Amino acid sequence: IGSYSQPVSVAFSPSGGLLATANEGGSVSVFSVGAGGALTQVTGSPFTTGTVPDSVAFSPGGGLLAAANMNVSIAGNPTGNNVSVFSVNSSTGALTQVTGSPFATGPEPWSVVFSPGGGLLATPNEAGSSVSVFSVNSSTGALTQVTGSPFTTDSGPKSVAFSPGGGLLATANSSFPNNNVSVFSVGAGGALTQVTGSPFTTGSNSQPVSVAFSSGGGLLATANAGANAVSVFSVGAGGALTQVTGSPFTTGSN
């Protein structure tokens, strides 16, 4: 496990006063951010997570922090496939795992995201070709999978994003030969329904590994590692995607 020590994901708290990194060695580091941007590790950091955390995210209110823990085999025994959830001390920045954490996801959760309102949390499960969606207890921070979760995506989802209004959820599906993005409408209880036309292609051999909505929600973009390009879509009223003229756009190589 010592070979999995490197930090691979970073996130600021909503207020900007804290910064966290997911360290594949099995921990998350938390820093206070000084007036000039200098970092100071908070007391107790780094904090132990599940196995091989690959992504970290703060809740919209900053009171919770989540880390998606990938699957890895140690001495022939698979471990991980869960998400750790911590309460964040508002004064010190110290983390305390909430009761029941870590919470089981599908196989190989690559990333984690809270909904804009903070009432839901989602992880894309690469090996399960699915996305797990949880309701978040507003008092305790504990997670409960919503009815129907995990929901089927196309092959190899590595990234997930909620639209700014929270009414849509998208996953970047990286596995060959599909190379596409799934878009779901989000029901009142957090259940997902794929929108008409989903999944939407990002291009041959594109291998999309990241997805994001624009701040207004009218656009969606995917970073396509296999094609050295970014695809940009307009988002229709029902969540259907249409690639904008000229998309995909060439980025740097590799």
Side-chain angles (χ1 to χ4, degrees):
I1 193 68
S3 62
Y4 293 96
S5 58
Q6 65 266 28
V8 291
S9 176
V10 64
F12 281 98
S13 62
S15 69
L18 297 173
L19 181 142
T21 67
N23 310 314
E24 283 194 326
S27 68
V28 58
S29 297
V30 180
F31 302 84
S32 60
V33 182
L39 304 182
T40 303
Q41 284 210 55
V42 306
T43 301
S45 177
F47 301 91
T48 300
T49 63
T51 306
V52 191
D54 262 5
S55 178
V56 64
F58 283 93
S59 62
L64 297 173
L65 182 141
N69 305 312
M70 281 278 289
N71 176 65
V72 67
S73 181
I74 300 176
N77 298 311
T79 183
N81 297 327
N82 52 42
V83 58
S84 297
V85 180
F86 302 84
S87 60
V88 182
N89 187 296
S90 59
S91 299
T92 67
L95 304 184
T96 303
Q97 286 210 52
V98 306
T99 302
S101 176
F103 301 91
T105 64
E108 298 189 8
W110 266 79
S111 61
V112 63
V113 65
F114 285 91
S115 63
L120 298 173
L121 179 145
T123 66
N125 309 308
E126 185 194 26
S129 295
S130 65
V131 57
S132 296
V133 180
F134 302 83
S135 60
V136 182
N137 187 295
S138 59
S139 299
T140 67
L143 304 184
T144 302
Q145 287 211 50
V146 305
T147 302
S149 177
F151 301 92
T152 301
T153 64
D154 216 331
S155 299
K158 285 190 173 181
S159 176
V160 63
F162 283 95
S163 61
L168 298 173
L169 179 144
T171 64
N173 308 315
S174 62
S175 291
F176 178 84
N178 298 310
N179 304 302
N180 54 39
V181 56
S182 296
V183 181
F184 301 83
S185 60
V186 182
L192 303 184
T193 303
Q194 286 210 54
V195 306
T196 301
S198 178
F200 302 92
T201 184
T202 53
S204 177
N205 300 321
S206 54
Q207 298 176 29
V209 295
S210 182
V211 63
F213 285 90
S214 62
S215 58
L219 296 173
L220 179 145
T222 63
N224 307 324
N228 297 324
V230 57
S231 295
V232 181
F233 302 83
S234 60
V235 182
L241 303 184
T242 303
Q243 286 213 47
V244 305
T245 302
S247 178
F249 302 92
T250 300
T251 63
S253 61
N254 298 323

